[in-house]
Amino acid sequence: KGIVSTFWEIAKIAILTLVIVVPLRAFVFQPFLVRGASMEPNFHNGDYLIVDEFSYNFREPERGEVIVFDFPNNPSQRYIKRIIGLPGETVEIEDGVITIFSAEGDKNSTFKLNEIVYLPASQQTAGSVKTELANDEYFVLGDNRQFSSDSRSWGSLPQDNIVGRVLIRLFPPNAFAKVEAPEY
């Protein structure tokens, strides 16, 4: 009777774990392993992240958020980048300066993006690009601008390709942190 009772208790814990963990893992949180140097100095090769797949069901992605998405040219690959331009905006990169033109075309809503919060002052955004975003497109850049394949080379990111936003860095342990979008 003791062995059966113990087995039944273990089985109940296993079933309860499956009922709770599997749906959370499948529909709410997703692990992601950073590969490559495109997001340095903020994320490094081998960083283990938790991606929030759920919150974009209730709100739109915001400028500055770090997201994971299916690469538009090969959806079997997942990329990690930072959102720079929002739907309906025009993003211009010229002489290392990123200028955002609002969707309404209002001069007062045009601004130069100040990324000093998450990029070193020596980091330059190379390229000469001007991209008008549709109402379901984003402009994304890697933080390591010199070594990043991003919207400068392959174009805008369709909203449907977004998997979710990076919520937490779990590994390495000394870099554990909640990942927040910067204030511009």
Side-chain angles (χ1 to χ4, degrees):
K1 183 176 180 176
I3 293 175
V4 171
S5 176
T6 302
F7 177 74
W8 177 241
E9 288 301 315
I10 292 171
K12 286 194 297 188
I13 291 170
I15 291 169
L16 187 59
T17 301
L18 286 173
V19 167
I20 294 172
V21 172
V22 169
L24 280 174
R25 164 65 173 79
F27 303 110
V28 181
F29 300 109
Q30 180 88 228
F32 181 78
L33 184 64
V34 176
R35 291 192 186 112
S38 74
M39 288 300 289
E40 290 179 358
N42 297 300
F43 300 93
H44 299 275
N45 189 52
D47 282 1
Y48 189 81
L49 312 173
I50 298 298
V51 177
D52 167 14
E53 295 181 312
F54 195 65
S55 65
Y56 288 156
N57 293 321
F58 303 102
R59 68 172 185 82
E60 296 298 314
E62 297 175 7
R63 186 181 335 277
E65 288 182 329
V66 177
I67 60 170
V68 171
F69 57 91
D70 296 326
F71 179 48
N73 296 341
N74 182 356
S76 67
Q77 293 182 357
R78 292 228 163 133
Y79 277 28
I80 177 173
K81 303 290 177 210
R82 187 177 300 276
I83 295 175
I84 300 299
L86 302 174
E89 294 179 335
T90 298
V91 177
E92 181 178 49
I93 300 172
E94 193 66 46
D95 297 326
V97 176
I98 301 172
T99 305
I100 307 292
F101 300 89
S102 74
E104 299 84 36
D106 179 4
K107 276 280 200 203
N108 294 331
S109 329
T110 298
F111 63 96
K112 300 201 182 315
L113 195 62
N114 181 354
E115 300 179 287
I116 197 71
V117 174
Y118 53 87
L119 292 182
S122 62
Q123 180 81 268
Q124 291 294 312
T125 304
S128 179
V129 176
K130 188 167 187 176
T131 304
E132 291 184 32
L133 300 169
N135 289 329
D136 63 346
E137 294 178 333
Y138 292 83
F139 193 92
V140 295
L141 293 175
D143 288 351
N144 189 353
R145 304 290 161 79
Q146 187 176 0
F147 299 103
S148 177
S149 170
D150 49 40
S151 289
R152 292 173 294 173
S153 58
W154 44 260
S156 59
L157 174 68
Q159 185 168 4
D160 290 344
N161 287 49
I162 297 175
V163 173
R165 69 185 171 107
V166 175
L167 186 64
I168 297 171
R169 178 184 6 233
L170 284 180
F171 186 83
N174 63 338
F176 177 84
K178 182 175 186 214
V179 178
E180 308 242 5
E183 295 288 327
Y184 291 105

